């Protein structure tokens, strides 16, 4: 392909590469690493300065620009059309709220504006996300490329020493409170990442504060099971990071589209009381299965590896 220059645009809210949490920022950084291995010239724009955004994404020529933040997409796309620029515009939404009944007024406006962007290309994280956008208003090119991980970054030891970890921001959107309402096993859970909502009572479980990305890579393998229930992400990176660390996973129905339920992955519908009542049985089974399926878990996670999926992304770029 002739054009091998690409710009990734982030929201400026978290540094890139992220030192702490920041899944989208981690994904963008890995795009840069793996595309540069394929001889692409890659720049990352992560600025709060709107004038810099316009300069770098509008007053340039023949660039591929991949947005991961909808407000910046809107500004740049409209100006690219006004000034007749020939840049190729791609975008990915990481925000589940845009397609739920709980979507905010802000995102309703954003989604309506984007619906007119016929000369842009959507990189969808799942077929569920693609179906939502295409069925509502959108008429552009769409490709499915889910979130990726670098499996070589994770420590993998065959004998975990701990049972259960809940690795995500502690707030209402991540459903720790609902989970603990039904959880009755004796196994203590380690909760990790910022304690944003102190009204949530973690009861007698452990709070381990916030891990850096390096700590996630080094410590996640110590656990048998990762729990993460939410309705706020399209394709959460931490679930795939857990699988790369040989953990079993208990997660939400929202994400089943990119996962296959099996002996080490259990999908829970958090709107279904019967599913929630059975959480303890599901966890007991996963804790038991972890020893026998750890090799299978890692092999399964390799399907999400950057080395495998970067080829799909490059083929998408060729088709623009």
């Amino acid at each position: 392909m002739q054009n091998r220059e690409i710009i990734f645009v982030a929201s400026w809210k978290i540094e890139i590469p992220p030192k702490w949490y920041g899944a989208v920022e981690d994904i963008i950084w890995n795009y840069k690493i793996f595309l540069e291995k394929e001889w692409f010239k890659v720049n990352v724009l992560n600025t709060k300065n709107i004038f810099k955004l316009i300069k770098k994404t509008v007053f340039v020529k023949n660039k591929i620009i991949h947005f991961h933040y909808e407000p910046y997409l809107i500004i740049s796309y409209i100006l690219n059309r006004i000034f007749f620029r020939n840049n190729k515009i791609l975008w990915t939404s990481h925000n589940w709220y845009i397609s739920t009944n709980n979507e905010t007024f802000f995102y309703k406006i954003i989604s309506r504006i984007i619906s007119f962007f016929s000369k842009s290309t959507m990189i969808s994280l799942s077929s569920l996300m693609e179906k939502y956008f295409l069925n509502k208003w959108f008429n552009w090119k769409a490709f499915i490329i889910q979130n990726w991980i670098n499996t070589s970054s994770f420590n993998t030891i065959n004998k975990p020493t701990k049972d259960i970890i809940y690795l995500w921001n502690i707030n209402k959107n991540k459903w720790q409170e609902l989970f603990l309402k039904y959880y009755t096993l004796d196994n203590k859970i380690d909760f990790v990442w910022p304690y944003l909502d102190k009204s949530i009572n973690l009861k007698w479980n452990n709070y381990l504060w916030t891990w850096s990305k390096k700590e996630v890579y080094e410590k996640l393998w110590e656990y048998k099971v990762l729990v993460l229930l939410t309705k706020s992400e399209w394709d959460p990176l931490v679930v795939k990071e857990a699988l790369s660390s040989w953990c079993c996973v208990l997660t939400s129905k929202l994400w089943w589209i990119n996962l296959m339920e099996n002996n080490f992955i259990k999908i829970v519908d958090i709107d279904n009381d019967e599913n929630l009542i059975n959480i303890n049985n599901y966890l007991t089974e996963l804790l038991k299965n972890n020893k026998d399926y750890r090799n299978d878990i890692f092999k399964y996670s390799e399907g999400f590896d950057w080395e495998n999926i970067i080829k799909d992304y490059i083929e998408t770029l060729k088709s623009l």
Side-chain angles (χ1 to χ4, degrees):
M1 58 185 292
Q2 292 182 339
N3 191 353
R4 302 186 74 87
E5 291 189 48
I6 184 166
I7 301 167
F8 288 94
V9 182
S11 71
W12 66 263
K13 297 175 183 179
I14 299 175
E15 62 189 338
I16 298 177
K19 292 181 181 178
W20 303 92
Y21 56 94
V24 175
E25 291 73 19
D26 187 59
I27 290 164
I28 290 173
W29 184 247
N30 277 288
Y31 264 122
K32 176 177 171 64
I33 291 171
F34 284 90
L35 284 170
E36 286 179 343
K37 287 182 181 180
E38 301 293 331
W39 304 103
F40 281 80
K41 181 180 178 181
V42 182
N43 292 303
V44 175
L45 184 61
N46 191 33
T47 181
K48 192 176 182 179
N49 188 321
I50 299 299
F51 296 104
K52 185 175 182 180
L53 169 75
I54 294 170
K55 179 182 178 181
K56 297 291 185 180
T57 66
V58 178
F59 295 107
V60 291
K61 294 181 179 180
N62 299 313
K63 296 293 189 295
I64 300 170
I65 310 172
H66 190 165
F67 289 86
H68 289 260
Y69 185 52
E70 291 92 336
Y72 283 0
L73 163 68
I74 291 172
I75 295 169
S76 181
Y77 180 90
I78 292 173
L79 291 176
N80 265 273
R81 302 303 296 157
I82 289 174
F83 291 104
F84 300 100
R85 313 309 291 180
N86 57 356
N87 299 304
K88 302 291 187 181
I89 305 294
L90 296 82
W91 65 278
T92 299
S93 173
H94 297 268
N95 199 316
W96 176 251
Y97 299 118
I98 213 168
S99 65
T100 68
N101 293 327
N102 296 321
E103 60 187 343
T104 64
F105 179 71
F106 175 67
Y107 272 103
K108 284 181 181 179
I109 293 174
I110 283 180
S111 59
R112 174 53 70 183
I113 293 172
I114 294 173
S115 70
F116 297 103
F117 289 4
S118 59
K119 293 187 179 294
S120 66
T121 299
M122 178 176 67
I123 306 295
S124 174
L125 298 178
S126 72
S127 59
L128 187 67
M129 175 183 177
E130 180 187 53
K131 181 179 179 181
Y132 165 76
F133 281 109
L134 295 183
N135 282 353
K136 268 212 163 182
W137 310 293
F138 304 98
N139 264 336
W140 51 62
K141 285 184 180 179
F143 300 87
I144 299 174
I145 300 177
Q146 58 185 284
N147 285 338
W148 315 340
I149 49 173
N150 184 2
T151 55
S152 64
S153 298
F154 295 85
N155 284 346
T156 49
I157 306 299
N158 236 350
K159 295 182 179 179
T161 57
K162 301 176 182 180
D163 289 332
I164 304 171
I165 183 170
Y166 205 122
L167 182 61
W168 209 254
N169 295 336
I170 301 172
N171 62 28
K172 302 293 184 183
N173 293 331
K174 303 307 180 286
W175 298 92
Q176 290 95 343
E177 193 169 38
L178 179 70
F179 170 75
L180 288 172
K181 176 182 176 181
Y182 291 92
Y183 181 71
T184 59
L185 298 181
D186 292 333
N187 312 66
K188 282 191 175 184
I189 300 170
D190 287 349
F191 288 90
V192 178
W193 280 18
Y195 202 156
L196 301 179
D197 189 342
K198 295 295 177 64
S199 70
I200 297 174
N201 181 7
L202 299 182
K203 301 181 179 179
W204 47 275
N205 298 287
N206 301 317
Y207 175 56
L208 303 185
W209 197 238
T210 300
W211 286 356
S212 66
K213 293 300 295 186
K214 184 172 183 289
E215 287 177 300
V216 172
Y217 297 151
E218 292 178 349
K219 295 180 179 181
L220 200 48
W221 65 266
E222 298 175 359
Y223 293 86
K224 297 176 184 176
V225 179
L226 170 97
V227 176
L228 181 55
L229 308 179
T230 183
K231 291 184 177 181
S232 59
E233 284 77 30
W234 286 108
D235 187 28
L237 199 63
V238 68
V239 170
K240 295 174 180 178
E241 290 173 339
L243 293 168
S244 288
S245 301
W246 302 19
C247 296
C248 295
V249 170
L250 177 73
T251 189
S252 303
K253 184 179 180 181
L254 171 63
W255 307 335
W256 71 270
I257 203 74
N258 282 343
L259 295 175
M260 178 180 66
E261 192 170 53
N262 50 38
N263 290 314
F264 48 84
I265 297 175
K266 183 62 186 176
I267 311 297
V268 175
D269 182 355
I270 56 179
D271 294 319
N272 184 312
D273 288 341
E274 185 176 348
N275 268 204
L276 293 171
I277 290 170
N278 284 315
I279 274 179
N280 298 291
N281 294 331
Y282 300 150
L283 284 172
T284 300
E285 182 180 357
L286 291 174
L287 288 166
K288 179 182 177 182
N289 286 351
N290 185 261
K291 180 180 178 181
D292 295 330
Y293 289 97
R294 283 179 76 80
N295 288 329
D296 294 331
I297 295 170
F298 184 74
K299 288 178 182 177
Y300 181 83
S301 75
E302 289 179 322
F304 309 124
D305 191 83
W306 282 90
E307 293 285 1
N308 296 326
I309 304 181
I310 194 70
K311 300 170 188 175
D312 294 337
Y313 186 75
I314 293 173
E315 287 302 310
T316 299
L317 297 182
K318 289 179 181 178
S319 71
L320 298 178

